[in-house]
Amino acid sequence: MFQNMGLYDRVIRIIVGLVLGGLYLGGVVEGTTAIVLFVIGLVMIATSAIGFCPAYLPFKISTKGK
C-alpha cells in the first residue's frame, strides 16, 4: 500500500482526532453525536498513522510531496 498523505495533512489529522477524542472522553458531547465524533477521531488518527486515506483514491488526491 502506498502513502498518499503528506506531513502537514497527517499532523492536522492527529490533532483533530485527539480533539474529537478529548471531547468524547471529557464528556463535552453526549449521546450518538459523541460516539460518531469519537469514531471519526479514531479513523483520523488511524489513517494518519499509516499515511493512507482511502477517501483520496476516487479523486486521485495526494498531499504527499514528490
Side-chain angles (χ1 to χ4, degrees):
M1 183 178 337
F2 64 94
Q3 292 186 340
N4 62 359
M5 293 173 56
L7 178 65
Y8 293 123
D9 191 6
R10 294 172 78 174
V11 169
I12 289 170
R13 283 175 180 258
I14 288 174
I15 292 170
V16 171
L18 290 174
V19 167
L20 292 177
L23 290 174
Y24 173 77
L25 295 174
V28 176
V29 291
E30 297 177 348
T32 306
T33 304
I35 295 169
V36 169
L37 290 178
F38 184 68
V39 169
I40 290 171
L42 287 177
V43 169
M44 292 186 92
I45 291 172
T47 57
S48 178
I50 61 173
F52 176 75
C53 179
Y56 285 179
L57 282 179
F59 305 107
K60 295 184 173 121
I61 297 172
S62 177
T63 58
K64 188 171 176 86
K66 302 233 180 224

